[in-house]
Amino acid sequence: MRVLVSDIGGTNARFAMAELGRGERLLRDSVREYPAAGFASAADAARHFLDELGERADAAVFAVAGRVRREEARITNHPWQIRAPDIGSALGTPRVALINDFAAQAMAISRLGADDVVAVGAAGWPGFDMDAAQTYAVIGPGTGLGVGGLLVRNGRCFALETEGGHAGFAPSRPRDMRVLECLMRRFGRVSCERLVSGPGLANLYAAVCEIEGVAARDWSPAQINAHAAGGDPRCARAVELFCAAFGSMAGDLVLTLGAWDGVFLAGGLVPKLLGALQSDSFRAAFEAKGRFAAAVAEVPALAVVHACSGLLGAAAHAAETYDSALAV
């Protein structure tokens, strides 16, 4: 069975083909990425992908950055509304599954190898074990902030779909309070995504400039990160605030889900900020959990550096969903 798998965010749409049989196989040469703004719909983008490769699809799994309800999903940070029947019509198959993008990131955990992750902090990860009961969290910034979880029970994987990135931000330091006040004046309610995402880094830079009484430059998140590495003090403070907020949220997620086996840091910004995340700010905030600080200190935090983890997870979901059809 040849399955089209897709990872659709607020900015880009990724596609690939996977083969199901004795386990799934993601066809790396088939991976394509398109700007979402270049297509009227996800169905149009999927059809373009198949036509470009001269491929056909027996089934499809779309991992989308938004809430999935029944057979529909709306991208949180993009105007696309995705309907499974529309995808099926475009591809010529009734087998279409829609899942949250961080459900796909969660499913990818079961397929990641040692070279696909980098430890953030001293706590080590013994590796994935399908035969043991395990609970993992996954969180990651891109255009937005994705949050999910993975339960491993009785030899099966169960992904948890959430919109945890839209939970309210909880400051834990005096400087965080000042940043929160700046963001509240701008947005009213301040979600975690307002800080830990690509736009969130720009929000933090603007807040730092406001606190220091200087005009913010019109810099993109990539420029802010580059200027931080080049020694700009305000950009460096913005990146430090980003890493601390990210660490605090990741630690809170461990407590919320009981994810004592590990938290995976996914999303497009993680590889770009890996050096900053490996500094003290992330891990200190991650472990600063009061009476549970010692317990959280033992939890591994693992940065995902696999280039196509969302597609890998979508293929894993396809295997769980469609493998039984191969026996028919």
Side-chain angles (χ1 to χ4, degrees), residues 214-250:
V214 299
R217 304 287 294 272
D218 186 20
W219 283 336
S220 69
Q223 289 173 314
I224 293 167
N225 187 39
H227 284 292
D232 183 283
R234 296 181 186 92
C235 291
R237 278 191 280 280
V239 170
E240 189 280 329
L241 287 164
F242 179 100
C243 292
F246 192 10
S248 181
M249 293 168 196

PDB file of all heavy atoms in Angstrom, residues 214-250:
ATOM      1  N   VAL A 214      13.763  51.401  24.361  1.00  0.00           N
ATOM      2  CA  VAL A 214      14.358  51.663  23.052  1.00  0.00           C
ATOM      3  C   VAL A 214      13.425  51.132  21.973  1.00  0.00           C
ATOM      4  O   VAL A 214      12.576  50.272  22.232  1.00  0.00           O
ATOM      5  CB  VAL A 214      15.753  51.011  22.918  1.00  0.00           C
ATOM      6  CG1 VAL A 214      16.706  51.576  23.960  1.00  0.00           C
ATOM      7  CG2 VAL A 214      15.656  49.499  23.038  1.00  0.00           C
ATOM      8  N   ALA A 215      13.584  51.630  20.764  1.00  0.00           N
ATOM      9  CA  ALA A 215      12.745  51.186  19.650  1.00  0.00           C
ATOM     10  C   ALA A 215      13.231  49.826  19.151  1.00  0.00           C
ATOM     11  O   ALA A 215      14.437  49.596  18.980  1.00  0.00           O
ATOM     12  CB  ALA A 215      12.798  52.202  18.517  1.00  0.00           C
ATOM     13  N   ALA A 216      12.292  48.927  18.938  1.00  0.00           N
ATOM     14  CA  ALA A 216      12.623  47.603  18.402  1.00  0.00           C
ATOM     15  C   ALA A 216      12.882  47.700  16.909  1.00  0.00           C
ATOM     16  O   ALA A 216      12.202  48.438  16.194  1.00  0.00           O
ATOM     17  CB  ALA A 216      11.492  46.617  18.688  1.00  0.00           C
ATOM     18  N   ARG A 217      13.871  46.970  16.441  1.00  0.00           N
ATOM     19  CA  ARG A 217      14.116  46.876  15.008  1.00  0.00           C
ATOM     20  C   ARG A 217      13.112  45.908  14.383  1.00  0.00           C
ATOM     21  O   ARG A 217      12.609  44.996  15.042  1.00  0.00           O
ATOM     22  CB  ARG A 217      15.548  46.379  14.755  1.00  0.00           C
ATOM     23  CG  ARG A 217      16.633  47.225  15.398  1.00  0.00           C
ATOM     24  CD  ARG A 217      16.811  48.541  14.678  1.00  0.00           C
ATOM     25  NE  ARG A 217      17.325  48.366  13.335  1.00  0.00           N
ATOM     26  CZ  ARG A 217      18.629  48.301  13.035  1.00  0.00           C
ATOM     27  NH1 ARG A 217      19.550  48.395  14.008  1.00  0.00           N
ATOM     28  NH2 ARG A 217      19.019  48.159  11.789  1.00  0.00           N
ATOM     29  N   ASP A 218      12.834  46.075  13.119  1.00  0.00           N
ATOM     30  CA  ASP A 218      11.889  45.208  12.410  1.00  0.00           C
ATOM     31  C   ASP A 218      12.630  43.968  11.915  1.00  0.00           C
ATOM     32  O   ASP A 218      12.866  43.787  10.719  1.00  0.00           O
ATOM     33  CB  ASP A 218      11.247  45.969  11.247  1.00  0.00           C
ATOM     34  CG  ASP A 218      10.148  45.154  10.577  1.00  0.00           C
ATOM     35  OD1 ASP A 218       9.646  44.212  11.210  1.00  0.00           O
ATOM     36  OD2 ASP A 218       9.804  45.463   9.416  1.00  0.00           O
ATOM     37  N   TRP A 219      12.976  43.079  12.862  1.00  0.00           N
ATOM     38  CA  TRP A 219      13.752  41.887  12.550  1.00  0.00           C
ATOM     39  C   TRP A 219      12.882  40.639  12.623  1.00  0.00           C
ATOM     40  O   TRP A 219      12.000  40.511  13.484  1.00  0.00           O
ATOM     41  CB  TRP A 219      14.922  41.744  13.525  1.00  0.00           C
ATOM     42  CG  TRP A 219      16.060  42.674  13.234  1.00  0.00           C
ATOM     43  CD1 TRP A 219      16.373  43.260  12.041  1.00  0.00           C
ATOM     44  CD2 TRP A 219      17.053  43.126  14.166  1.00  0.00           C
ATOM     45  NE1 TRP A 219      17.489  44.047  12.156  1.00  0.00           N
ATOM     46  CE2 TRP A 219      17.937  43.987  13.444  1.00  0.00           C
ATOM     47  CE3 TRP A 219      17.291  42.898  15.519  1.00  0.00           C
ATOM     48  CZ2 TRP A 219      19.026  44.591  14.046  1.00  0.00           C
ATOM     49  CZ3 TRP A 219      18.388  43.498  16.117  1.00  0.00           C
ATOM     50  CH2 TRP A 219      19.247  44.348  15.394  1.00  0.00           C
ATOM     51  N   SER A 220      13.152  39.713  11.746  1.00  0.00           N
ATOM     52  CA  SER A 220      12.468  38.417  11.752  1.00  0.00           C
ATOM     53  C   SER A 220      13.044  37.556  12.878  1.00  0.00           C
ATOM     54  O   SER A 220      14.113  37.853  13.427  1.00  0.00           O
ATOM     55  CB  SER A 220      12.679  37.717  10.415  1.00  0.00           C
ATOM     56  OG  SER A 220      14.042  37.326  10.281  1.00  0.00           O
ATOM     57  N   PRO A 221      12.360  36.460  13.237  1.00  0.00           N
ATOM     58  CA  PRO A 221      12.933  35.554  14.240  1.00  0.00           C
ATOM     59  C   PRO A 221      14.327  35.066  13.863  1.00  0.00           C
ATOM     60  O   PRO A 221      15.211  34.980  14.730  1.00  0.00           O
ATOM     61  CB  PRO A 221      11.918  34.406  14.282  1.00  0.00           C
ATOM     62  CG  PRO A 221      10.625  35.045  13.900  1.00  0.00           C
ATOM     63  CD  PRO A 221      10.983  36.079  12.873  1.00  0.00           C
ATOM     64  N   ALA A 222      14.539  34.739  12.591  1.00  0.00           N
ATOM     65  CA  ALA A 222      15.859  34.278  12.166  1.00  0.00           C
ATOM     66  C   ALA A 222      16.907  35.371  12.359  1.00  0.00           C
ATOM     67  O   ALA A 222      18.041  35.101  12.784  1.00  0.00           O
ATOM     68  CB  ALA A 222      15.815  33.839  10.698  1.00  0.00           C
ATOM     69  N   GLN A 223      16.542  36.611  12.060  1.00  0.00           N
ATOM     70  CA  GLN A 223      17.478  37.716  12.254  1.00  0.00           C
ATOM     71  C   GLN A 223      17.762  37.954  13.734  1.00  0.00           C
ATOM     72  O   GLN A 223      18.902  38.238  14.119  1.00  0.00           O
ATOM     73  CB  GLN A 223      16.915  38.983  11.606  1.00  0.00           C
ATOM     74  CG  GLN A 223      16.917  38.957  10.086  1.00  0.00           C
ATOM     75  CD  GLN A 223      16.200  40.149   9.492  1.00  0.00           C
ATOM     76  OE1 GLN A 223      15.094  40.510   9.916  1.00  0.00           O
ATOM     77  NE2 GLN A 223      16.824  40.790   8.505  1.00  0.00           N
ATOM     78  N   ILE A 224      16.744  37.824  14.563  1.00  0.00           N
ATOM     79  CA  ILE A 224      16.944  37.996  16.006  1.00  0.00           C
ATOM     80  C   ILE A 224      17.915  36.948  16.529  1.00  0.00           C
ATOM     81  O   ILE A 224      18.841  37.254  17.292  1.00  0.00           O
ATOM     82  CB  ILE A 224      15.593  37.922  16.754  1.00  0.00           C
ATOM     83  CG1 ILE A 224      14.721  39.121  16.379  1.00  0.00           C
ATOM     84  CG2 ILE A 224      15.795  37.863  18.267  1.00  0.00           C
ATOM     85  CD1 ILE A 224      13.271  38.987  16.802  1.00  0.00           C
ATOM     86  N   ASN A 225      17.733  35.708  16.098  1.00  0.00           N
ATOM     87  CA  ASN A 225      18.638  34.638  16.526  1.00  0.00           C
ATOM     88  C   ASN A 225      20.058  34.891  16.029  1.00  0.00           C
ATOM     89  O   ASN A 225      21.037  34.705  16.773  1.00  0.00           O
ATOM     90  CB  ASN A 225      18.117  33.298  16.006  1.00  0.00           C
ATOM     91  CG  ASN A 225      18.900  32.124  16.548  1.00  0.00           C
ATOM     92  OD1 ASN A 225      19.285  32.108  17.714  1.00  0.00           O
ATOM     93  ND2 ASN A 225      19.128  31.127  15.712  1.00  0.00           N
ATOM     94  N   ALA A 226      20.180  35.343  14.791  1.00  0.00           N
ATOM     95  CA  ALA A 226      21.503  35.623  14.242  1.00  0.00           C
ATOM     96  C   ALA A 226      22.174  36.776  14.972  1.00  0.00           C
ATOM     97  O   ALA A 226      23.380  36.719  15.286  1.00  0.00           O
ATOM     98  CB  ALA A 226      21.389  35.935  12.743  1.00  0.00           C
ATOM     99  N   HIS A 227      21.427  37.834  15.267  1.00  0.00           N
ATOM    100  CA  HIS A 227      22.000  38.971  15.991  1.00  0.00           C
ATOM    101  C   HIS A 227      22.336  38.595  17.430  1.00  0.00           C
ATOM    102  O   HIS A 227      23.294  39.128  18.006  1.00  0.00           O
ATOM    103  CB  HIS A 227      21.036  40.153  15.953  1.00  0.00           C
ATOM    104  CG  HIS A 227      21.004  40.870  14.639  1.00  0.00           C
ATOM    105  ND1 HIS A 227      22.069  41.607  14.155  1.00  0.00           N
ATOM    106  CD2 HIS A 227      20.032  40.950  13.685  1.00  0.00           C
ATOM    107  CE1 HIS A 227      21.762  42.117  12.977  1.00  0.00           C
ATOM    108  NE2 HIS A 227      20.530  41.725  12.664  1.00  0.00           N
ATOM    109  N   ALA A 228      21.566  37.674  18.017  1.00  0.00           N
ATOM    110  CA  ALA A 228      21.899  37.198  19.365  1.00  0.00           C
ATOM    111  C   ALA A 228      23.250  36.492  19.345  1.00  0.00           C
ATOM    112  O   ALA A 228      24.104  36.720  20.216  1.00  0.00           O
ATOM    113  CB  ALA A 228      20.810  36.253  19.873  1.00  0.00           C
ATOM    114  N   ALA A 229      23.455  35.638  18.338  1.00  0.00           N
ATOM    115  CA  ALA A 229      24.740  34.948  18.208  1.00  0.00           C
ATOM    116  C   ALA A 229      25.870  35.922  17.925  1.00  0.00           C
ATOM    117  O   ALA A 229      27.028  35.679  18.296  1.00  0.00           O
ATOM    118  CB  ALA A 229      24.651  33.901  17.099  1.00  0.00           C
ATOM    119  N   GLY A 230      25.544  37.055  17.277  1.00  0.00           N
ATOM    120  CA  GLY A 230      26.549  38.056  16.966  1.00  0.00           C
ATOM    121  C   GLY A 230      26.843  39.037  18.088  1.00  0.00           C
ATOM    122  O   GLY A 230      27.660  39.935  17.920  1.00  0.00           O
ATOM    123  N   GLY A 231      26.138  38.887  19.213  1.00  0.00           N
ATOM    124  CA  GLY A 231      26.451  39.705  20.381  1.00  0.00           C
ATOM    125  C   GLY A 231      25.495  40.835  20.674  1.00  0.00           C
ATOM    126  O   GLY A 231      25.735  41.611  21.621  1.00  0.00           O
ATOM    127  N   ASP A 232      24.392  40.975  19.926  1.00  0.00           N
ATOM    128  CA  ASP A 232      23.425  42.019  20.246  1.00  0.00           C
ATOM    129  C   ASP A 232      22.777  41.696  21.589  1.00  0.00           C
ATOM    130  O   ASP A 232      22.157  40.634  21.748  1.00  0.00           O
ATOM    131  CB  ASP A 232      22.354  42.094  19.161  1.00  0.00           C
ATOM    132  CG  ASP A 232      21.356  43.211  19.416  1.00  0.00           C
ATOM    133  OD1 ASP A 232      20.473  43.025  20.286  1.00  0.00           O
ATOM    134  OD2 ASP A 232      21.450  44.264  18.756  1.00  0.00           O
ATOM    135  N   PRO A 233      22.881  42.575  22.587  1.00  0.00           N
ATOM    136  CA  PRO A 233      22.426  42.220  23.934  1.00  0.00           C
ATOM    137  C   PRO A 233      20.918  42.030  24.050  1.00  0.00           C
ATOM    138  O   PRO A 233      20.458  41.163  24.801  1.00  0.00           O
ATOM    139  CB  PRO A 233      22.915  43.381  24.798  1.00  0.00           C
ATOM    140  CG  PRO A 233      23.094  44.528  23.839  1.00  0.00           C
ATOM    141  CD  PRO A 233      23.511  43.914  22.546  1.00  0.00           C
ATOM    142  N   ARG A 234      20.142  42.831  23.321  1.00  0.00           N
ATOM    143  CA  ARG A 234      18.677  42.693  23.437  1.00  0.00           C
ATOM    144  C   ARG A 234      18.194  41.421  22.742  1.00  0.00           C
ATOM    145  O   ARG A 234      17.300  40.739  23.248  1.00  0.00           O
ATOM    146  CB  ARG A 234      17.992  43.935  22.880  1.00  0.00           C
ATOM    147  CG  ARG A 234      18.336  45.190  23.685  1.00  0.00           C
ATOM    148  CD  ARG A 234      17.653  46.434  23.186  1.00  0.00           C
ATOM    149  NE  ARG A 234      18.161  47.596  23.927  1.00  0.00           N
ATOM    150  CZ  ARG A 234      19.194  48.334  23.532  1.00  0.00           C
ATOM    151  NH1 ARG A 234      19.808  48.068  22.390  1.00  0.00           N
ATOM    152  NH2 ARG A 234      19.602  49.352  24.274  1.00  0.00           N
ATOM    153  N   CYS A 235      18.778  41.106  21.615  1.00  0.00           N
ATOM    154  CA  CYS A 235      18.431  39.847  20.955  1.00  0.00           C
ATOM    155  C   CYS A 235      18.852  38.658  21.821  1.00  0.00           C
ATOM    156  O   CYS A 235      18.112  37.663  21.917  1.00  0.00           O
ATOM    157  CB  CYS A 235      19.103  39.768  19.588  1.00  0.00           C
ATOM    158  SG  CYS A 235      18.439  40.925  18.369  1.00  0.00           S
ATOM    159  N   ALA A 236      20.005  38.764  22.448  1.00  0.00           N
ATOM    160  CA  ALA A 236      20.466  37.679  23.318  1.00  0.00           C
ATOM    161  C   ALA A 236      19.525  37.494  24.496  1.00  0.00           C
ATOM    162  O   ALA A 236      19.231  36.357  24.905  1.00  0.00           O
ATOM    163  CB  ALA A 236      21.883  37.975  23.805  1.00  0.00           C
ATOM    164  N   ARG A 237      19.015  38.609  25.059  1.00  0.00           N
ATOM    165  CA  ARG A 237      18.071  38.487  26.171  1.00  0.00           C
ATOM    166  C   ARG A 237      16.762  37.871  25.695  1.00  0.00           C
ATOM    167  O   ARG A 237      16.137  37.084  26.422  1.00  0.00           O
ATOM    168  CB  ARG A 237      17.830  39.858  26.805  1.00  0.00           C
ATOM    169  CG  ARG A 237      18.932  40.248  27.801  1.00  0.00           C
ATOM    170  CD  ARG A 237      18.555  41.466  28.625  1.00  0.00           C
ATOM    171  NE  ARG A 237      18.757  42.713  27.890  1.00  0.00           N
ATOM    172  CZ  ARG A 237      19.939  43.309  27.742  1.00  0.00           C
ATOM    173  NH1 ARG A 237      21.029  42.765  28.250  1.00  0.00           N
ATOM    174  NH2 ARG A 237      20.039  44.458  27.090  1.00  0.00           N
ATOM    175  N   ALA A 238      16.337  38.202  24.483  1.00  0.00           N
ATOM    176  CA  ALA A 238      15.112  37.615  23.945  1.00  0.00           C
ATOM    177  C   ALA A 238      15.265  36.106  23.783  1.00  0.00           C
ATOM    178  O   ALA A 238      14.358  35.332  24.122  1.00  0.00           O
ATOM    179  CB  ALA A 238      14.760  38.261  22.607  1.00  0.00           C
ATOM    180  N   VAL A 239      16.411  35.666  23.270  1.00  0.00           N
ATOM    181  CA  VAL A 239      16.645  34.224  23.100  1.00  0.00           C
ATOM    182  C   VAL A 239      16.720  33.533  24.453  1.00  0.00           C
ATOM    183  O   VAL A 239      16.185  32.430  24.629  1.00  0.00           O
ATOM    184  CB  VAL A 239      17.929  33.988  22.270  1.00  0.00           C
ATOM    185  CG1 VAL A 239      18.320  32.512  22.292  1.00  0.00           C
ATOM    186  CG2 VAL A 239      17.724  34.456  20.833  1.00  0.00           C
ATOM    187  N   GLU A 240      17.336  34.184  25.437  1.00  0.00           N
ATOM    188  CA  GLU A 240      17.398  33.590  26.784  1.00  0.00           C
ATOM    189  C   GLU A 240      16.005  33.460  27.381  1.00  0.00           C
ATOM    190  O   GLU A 240      15.667  32.425  27.979  1.00  0.00           O
ATOM    191  CB  GLU A 240      18.293  34.436  27.685  1.00  0.00           C
ATOM    192  CG  GLU A 240      18.616  33.796  29.044  1.00  0.00           C
ATOM    193  CD  GLU A 240      17.490  33.959  30.070  1.00  0.00           C
ATOM    194  OE1 GLU A 240      16.771  34.978  30.017  1.00  0.00           O
ATOM    195  OE2 GLU A 240      17.343  33.062  30.934  1.00  0.00           O
ATOM    196  N   LEU A 241      15.178  34.480  27.224  1.00  0.00           N
ATOM    197  CA  LEU A 241      13.795  34.416  27.704  1.00  0.00           C
ATOM    198  C   LEU A 241      13.022  33.304  26.998  1.00  0.00           C
ATOM    199  O   LEU A 241      12.231  32.588  27.618  1.00  0.00           O
ATOM    200  CB  LEU A 241      13.104  35.761  27.490  1.00  0.00           C
ATOM    201  CG  LEU A 241      13.518  36.896  28.422  1.00  0.00           C
ATOM    202  CD1 LEU A 241      13.056  38.244  27.860  1.00  0.00           C
ATOM    203  CD2 LEU A 241      12.947  36.692  29.815  1.00  0.00           C
ATOM    204  N   PHE A 242      13.253  33.169  25.707  1.00  0.00           N
ATOM    205  CA  PHE A 242      12.608  32.114  24.926  1.00  0.00           C
ATOM    206  C   PHE A 242      12.977  30.741  25.484  1.00  0.00           C
ATOM    207  O   PHE A 242      12.102  29.898  25.728  1.00  0.00           O
ATOM    208  CB  PHE A 242      13.044  32.235  23.468  1.00  0.00           C
ATOM    209  CG  PHE A 242      12.462  31.196  22.538  1.00  0.00           C
ATOM    210  CD1 PHE A 242      11.390  31.516  21.732  1.00  0.00           C
ATOM    211  CD2 PHE A 242      13.000  29.917  22.458  1.00  0.00           C
ATOM    212  CE1 PHE A 242      10.845  30.574  20.862  1.00  0.00           C
ATOM    213  CE2 PHE A 242      12.470  28.976  21.598  1.00  0.00           C
ATOM    214  CZ  PHE A 242      11.392  29.300  20.801  1.00  0.00           C
ATOM    215  N   CYS A 243      14.275  30.507  25.684  1.00  0.00           N
ATOM    216  CA  CYS A 243      14.736  29.199  26.174  1.00  0.00           C
ATOM    217  C   CYS A 243      14.209  28.908  27.573  1.00  0.00           C
ATOM    218  O   CYS A 243      13.808  27.773  27.874  1.00  0.00           O
ATOM    219  CB  CYS A 243      16.256  29.139  26.163  1.00  0.00           C
ATOM    220  SG  CYS A 243      16.980  29.140  24.498  1.00  0.00           S
ATOM    221  N   ALA A 244      14.183  29.919  28.438  1.00  0.00           N
ATOM    222  CA  ALA A 244      13.676  29.724  29.790  1.00  0.00           C
ATOM    223  C   ALA A 244      12.180  29.428  29.776  1.00  0.00           C
ATOM    224  O   ALA A 244      11.698  28.529  30.489  1.00  0.00           O
ATOM    225  CB  ALA A 244      13.973  30.953  30.638  1.00  0.00           C
ATOM    226  N   ALA A 245      11.427  30.172  28.967  1.00  0.00           N
ATOM    227  CA  ALA A 245       9.987  29.916  28.878  1.00  0.00           C
ATOM    228  C   ALA A 245       9.722  28.523  28.302  1.00  0.00           C
ATOM    229  O   ALA A 245       8.843  27.793  28.780  1.00  0.00           O
ATOM    230  CB  ALA A 245       9.318  30.985  28.018  1.00  0.00           C
ATOM    231  N   PHE A 246      10.465  28.146  27.289  1.00  0.00           N
ATOM    232  CA  PHE A 246      10.334  26.818  26.681  1.00  0.00           C
ATOM    233  C   PHE A 246      10.626  25.729  27.715  1.00  0.00           C
ATOM    234  O   PHE A 246       9.881  24.749  27.854  1.00  0.00           O
ATOM    235  CB  PHE A 246      11.298  26.733  25.498  1.00  0.00           C
ATOM    236  CG  PHE A 246      11.106  25.548  24.588  1.00  0.00           C
ATOM    237  CD1 PHE A 246      10.003  24.714  24.684  1.00  0.00           C
ATOM    238  CD2 PHE A 246      12.051  25.286  23.591  1.00  0.00           C
ATOM    239  CE1 PHE A 246       9.836  23.630  23.821  1.00  0.00           C
ATOM    240  CE2 PHE A 246      11.894  24.215  22.727  1.00  0.00           C
ATOM    241  CZ  PHE A 246      10.792  23.384  22.854  1.00  0.00           C
ATOM    242  N   GLY A 247      11.701  25.909  28.465  1.00  0.00           N
ATOM    243  CA  GLY A 247      12.046  24.927  29.496  1.00  0.00           C
ATOM    244  C   GLY A 247      10.988  24.822  30.572  1.00  0.00           C
ATOM    245  O   GLY A 247      10.624  23.719  31.006  1.00  0.00           O
ATOM    246  N   SER A 248      10.471  25.962  31.014  1.00  0.00           N
ATOM    247  CA  SER A 248       9.428  25.955  32.038  1.00  0.00           C
ATOM    248  C   SER A 248       8.182  25.233  31.544  1.00  0.00           C
ATOM    249  O   SER A 248       7.579  24.425  32.264  1.00  0.00           O
ATOM    250  CB  SER A 248       9.098  27.394  32.434  1.00  0.00           C
ATOM    251  OG  SER A 248       8.106  27.415  33.437  1.00  0.00           O
ATOM    252  N   MET A 249       7.780  25.512  30.302  1.00  0.00           N
ATOM    253  CA  MET A 249       6.601  24.860  29.739  1.00  0.00           C
ATOM    254  C   MET A 249       6.822  23.360  29.587  1.00  0.00           C
ATOM    255  O   MET A 249       5.918  22.559  29.859  1.00  0.00           O
ATOM    256  CB  MET A 249       6.269  25.483  28.380  1.00  0.00           C
ATOM    257  CG  MET A 249       5.816  26.924  28.459  1.00  0.00           C
ATOM    258  SD  MET A 249       5.788  27.683  26.795  1.00  0.00           S
ATOM    259  CE  MET A 249       5.713  29.421  27.229  1.00  0.00           C
ATOM    260  N   ALA A 250       8.002  22.962  29.139  1.00  0.00           N
ATOM    261  CA  ALA A 250       8.294  21.543  28.967  1.00  0.00           C
ATOM    262  C   ALA A 250       8.262  20.815  30.312  1.00  0.00           C
ATOM    263  O   ALA A 250       7.738  19.699  30.419  1.00  0.00           O
ATOM    264  CB  ALA A 250       9.658  21.363  28.290  1.00  0.00           C
TER     265      ALA A 250
END
